[in-house]
Amino acid sequence: MSKPLMTRRQFHLALMTSGIALAAGSRAQEPSAPSTDSVSAVVNAWLPAPTPPEQAQKVAETVQSMRKTLESLRACSLPEGSEPAFVFQPRPVRKEKR
């Protein structure tokens, strides 16, 4: 079995960083959404081997979907000191009887 060119964590870091880079670049210019070609170019710039066009298209669609979701979340104003939607209450781990 050959060694992968990139680990799973490195791939996710590159994917996440490319989305952040696209968001930062579009804020510096006008707030228009980047084209699919520019998204795949950014993704391929971080990867050691270029992705197939179908996979780059899926990544671009995911980035666009995430961008729309983030825009809708940012549009909702949340008052300072609001209560969280849920409270995490950890419980002690039960020791198993052998």
Side-chain angles (χ1 to χ4, degrees):
M1 186 171 179
S2 65
K3 184 178 177 184
L5 298 173
M6 179 181 277
T7 66
R8 176 178 49 90
R9 288 183 181 175
Q10 289 171 332
F11 174 75
H12 285 110
L13 177 65
L15 186 63
M16 183 174 57
T17 308
S18 66
I20 292 169
L22 285 173
S26 67
R27 280 209 169 159
Q29 301 166 357
E30 32 183 87
S32 63
S35 68
T36 356
D37 295 334
S38 66
V39 173
S40 59
V42 170
V43 171
N44 283 331
W46 280 88
L47 299 176
T51 59
E54 313 85 46
Q55 191 172 7
Q57 178 69 26
K58 287 181 183 179
V59 169
E61 289 171 1
T62 304
V63 168
Q64 294 294 343
S65 172
M66 187 176 291
R67 175 181 287 259
K68 288 179 185 176
T69 302
L70 289 174
E71 285 175 1
S72 65
L73 286 173
R74 288 182 186 127
C76 298
S77 63
L78 188 62
E80 196 67 35
S82 296
E83 292 293 321
F86 69 94
V87 178
F88 176 70
Q89 297 176 343
R91 302 204 174 161
V93 177
R94 286 190 240 164
K95 293 185 179 182
E96 295 180 18
K97 295 180 181 179
R98 294 182 185 198

